[in-house]
């Protein structure tokens, strides 16, 4: 089921050419990246890296929201190490992801709860839910 949006908060506008061997740029110029196939040795990033960074940043915001509801301050050195796999089964390509959440100084049980709440809040998590294999780990 697709949830309707009542209030659009932001719309990203980008222009991409050349696919995995091209370039992408945001309309405001804040993002301007060269793209290259993984393992090619050429300068540039790939869609999986961009997805991992975007999801991690959004997930951190969702953890902040979850922490605020619990009246918990997140540590200044909160971090997420994301791993996004591009894989193939037969002729079909798929993604798989792991978000390794670092919440130093937070009780492990509380950290687990914050990560799970964030996974329910984060728009990237919602977009991937039921579509790819995802593992959220507190490390």
């Amino acid at each position: 089921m697709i949830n309707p949006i009542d209030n659009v908060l932001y719309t990203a506008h980008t222009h991409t050419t050349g696919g995995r061997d091209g370039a992408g740029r945001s309309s405001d110029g804040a993002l301007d990246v060269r793209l290259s196939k993984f393992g090619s040795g050429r300068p540039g990033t790939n869609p999986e890296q961009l997805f991992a960074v975007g999801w991690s940043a959004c997930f951190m915001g969702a953890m902040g929201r979850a922490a605020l509801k619990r009246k918990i301050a997140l540590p200044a050195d909160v971090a997420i190490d994301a791993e996004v796999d591009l894989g193939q089964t037969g002729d079909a390509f798929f993604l798989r992801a792991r978000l390794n959440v670092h919440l130093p100084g937070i009780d492990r049980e509380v950290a687990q709860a914050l990560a799970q709440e964030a996974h329910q809040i984060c728009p990237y998590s919602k977009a991937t839910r039921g579509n790819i294999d995802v593992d959220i780990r507190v490390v």
Side-chain angles (χ1 to χ4, degrees), residues 6-35:
D6 294 330
N7 181 27
V8 174
L9 302 174
Y10 173 74
T11 301
H13 295 274
T14 63
H15 181 76
T16 303
T17 58
R20 287 181 177 270
D21 290 315
R25 187 172 200 280
S26 61
S27 61
D28 64 2
L31 177 69
D32 190 356
V33 296
R34 291 180 69 175
L35 300 169

Side-chain angles (χ1 to χ4, degrees), residues 20 38 46-49 51-52 55 82-89 92-100 128 131-135 137:
R20 287 181 177 270
F38 58 89
N46 59 64
E48 292 74 29
Q49 290 172 331
F51 182 67
W55 192 357
E83 303 170 23
V84 175
D85 301 324
L86 171 64
Q88 186 175 9
T89 300
F93 294 91
F94 299 96
L95 295 176
R96 177 175 59 200
R98 290 163 304 287
L99 298 183
N100 300 295
T128 59
N131 296 308
I132 71 171
D133 182 22
V134 176
D135 186 14
R137 304 173 184 168

